[in-house]
Amino acid sequence: PVARLLARTGVMPNALTLMGLGLSAAAAVLLGLGHIFSGGAVLLVAGLFDVLDGALARVSGRASRFGALLDSTVDRVAEAVVFFGLTWYFLTRNEELGVMLAYAALVGSLLVSYVRARAEGLGVPGEVGIAARPERVVLLALGLLTGLVVPALALVSLLAFITAGQRLAYAGRRTREPAPSPTDKPL
């Protein structure tokens, strides 16, 4: 419903993608400066833009391969910038565990998207696993809003690595299946 409403306004999906990146950057700055609750609130709003851009593209008939590429690329940058903001926050407070967890969450998150991209490049659907980007953003934002930043980062890290493993295992099973013969006919 929200995407249909936005479609009537004429706003472009790529504009939403870039606005989401701007909001993620704002969240990162807030986090780096120690405004954890505000950073979490802004991160949640940025997450809404991430959900809406694809939905808007579909309902408005403006879905494109470049839009999908832009969205995926901006999502990685947005994740990196938020984890940078958290790293900045923890560095200024000499909290080594927070720095390590922010780094682990970043690596895990990048692996989730990398395995998906490689699997899809091999013709295997890559959207499996328990914690895709929306779930990780919500978990992190909840941790920021409740002040449970370190436990949230630990959970995001763990779930990201589990998800990357699930995607890799799924792609491994699918790529070991024999390819259909050109003479095979669907039933």
Side-chain angles (χ1 to χ4, degrees):
V2 175
R4 284 188 194 92
L5 179 66
L6 284 171
R8 284 188 232 138
T9 69
V11 67
M12 302 294 284
N14 291 347
L16 286 185
T17 299
L18 296 174
M19 284 189 267
L21 176 60
L23 286 168
S24 292
V29 170
L30 288 168
L31 295 170
L33 294 173
H35 304 289
I36 301 302
F37 183 87
S38 299
V42 172
L43 180 61
L44 269 182
V45 175
L48 290 175
F49 278 80
D50 185 40
V51 170
L52 286 174
D53 59 0
L56 175 61
R58 287 184 293 279
V59 301
S60 66
R62 292 184 177 134
S64 70
R65 292 185 334 173
F66 174 74
L69 175 63
L70 179 67
D71 182 48
S72 294
T73 303
V74 166
D75 285 352
R76 302 302 73 78
V77 174
E79 283 183 307
V81 76
V82 168
F83 290 125
F84 175 78
L86 283 168
T87 301
W88 174 15
Y89 169 76
F90 288 119
L91 280 173
T92 61
R93 284 152 184 80
N94 293 318
E95 294 184 32
E96 294 173 355
L97 178 60
V99 171
M100 290 186 287
L101 287 172
Y103 179 76
L106 173 62
V107 171
S109 294
L110 292 175
L111 274 174
V112 169
S113 64
Y114 178 78
V115 174
R116 176 183 173 181
R118 287 296 293 139
E120 289 176 352
L122 296 171
V124 175
E127 283 195 26
V128 300
I130 59 173
R133 184 164 187 265
E135 291 83 6
R136 295 190 314 272
V137 169
V138 168
L139 282 172
L140 180 59
L142 289 175
L144 296 168
L145 293 170
T146 61
L148 299 171
V149 183
V150 169
L153 278 172
L155 186 58
V156 167
S157 300
L158 177 65
L159 292 177
F161 281 102
I162 289 171
T163 303
Q166 289 173 316
R167 289 179 176 191
L168 188 60
Y170 178 78
R173 286 190 302 273
R174 292 291 302 269
T175 56
R176 282 191 218 97
E177 294 172 358
S181 165
T183 59
D184 289 344
K185 294 186 175 152
L187 298 174

